[in-house]
Amino acid sequence: MLPLVAWVLGLRAAVPVLTVAMTIGNLSRIWWSRGELDRAVVLRFALGAMPATALAPSSMRSATEWLGRFVGVFLIASVPLRRSWPRTCSGMRLRYFPVLGAIVGLVSGLIVTTGR
């Protein structure tokens, strides 16, 4: 979407326009799904995600070297792990959500595309 918006509106306006559009889209999904939200999960996820997202830009320089390798190894490893993961371990306990939030927040702050 970024190349299309940059072509239509220009490079200078593309990032702010997409930021506002993505924010409105995410807020509307939250609004329409508000009955399905588990507030305990959201709170615990946010407790891990917000600090990690704030730390991500400061660690961007050191992350550029290993981030590409990490993403590649993760994608390659995810296929056999998914096939061999036992079906009984699919439940997620509430205490794991801050850790999951921190991981998603850090990756989202570094790559800017997770969860979108």
Side-chain angles (χ1 to χ4, degrees):
M1 186 64 100
L2 181 60
L4 181 64
V5 174
W7 180 65
V8 172
L9 298 177
L11 266 164
R12 194 170 204 87
V15 172
V17 166
L18 279 179
T19 300
V20 170
M22 290 172 70
T23 301
I24 291 170
N26 287 334
L27 289 174
S28 70
R29 277 190 288 263
I30 291 170
W31 175 257
W32 292 111
S33 301
R34 67 187 181 275
E36 305 291 322
L37 290 177
D38 184 347
R39 285 170 173 61
V41 170
V42 171
L43 176 67
R44 284 171 177 79
F45 187 89
L47 285 174
M50 287 192 292
T53 304
L55 289 175
S58 64
S59 61
M60 181 63 105
R61 282 191 186 149
S62 63
T64 55
E65 296 174 13
W66 58 267
L67 190 60
R69 290 186 187 106
F70 173 75
V71 170
V73 168
F74 174 78
L75 290 174
I76 291 170
S78 65
V79 174
L81 279 175
R82 186 183 184 299
R83 303 269 184 225
S84 64
W85 199 265
R87 299 277 181 201
T88 58
C89 294
S90 61
M92 183 85 165
R93 293 200 171 112
L94 200 54
R95 68 175 183 231
Y96 298 139
F97 278 95
V99 175
L100 181 64
I103 293 168
V104 171
L106 183 65
V107 173
S108 182
L110 291 171
I111 300 177
V112 191
T113 57
T114 59
R116 306 258 189 230

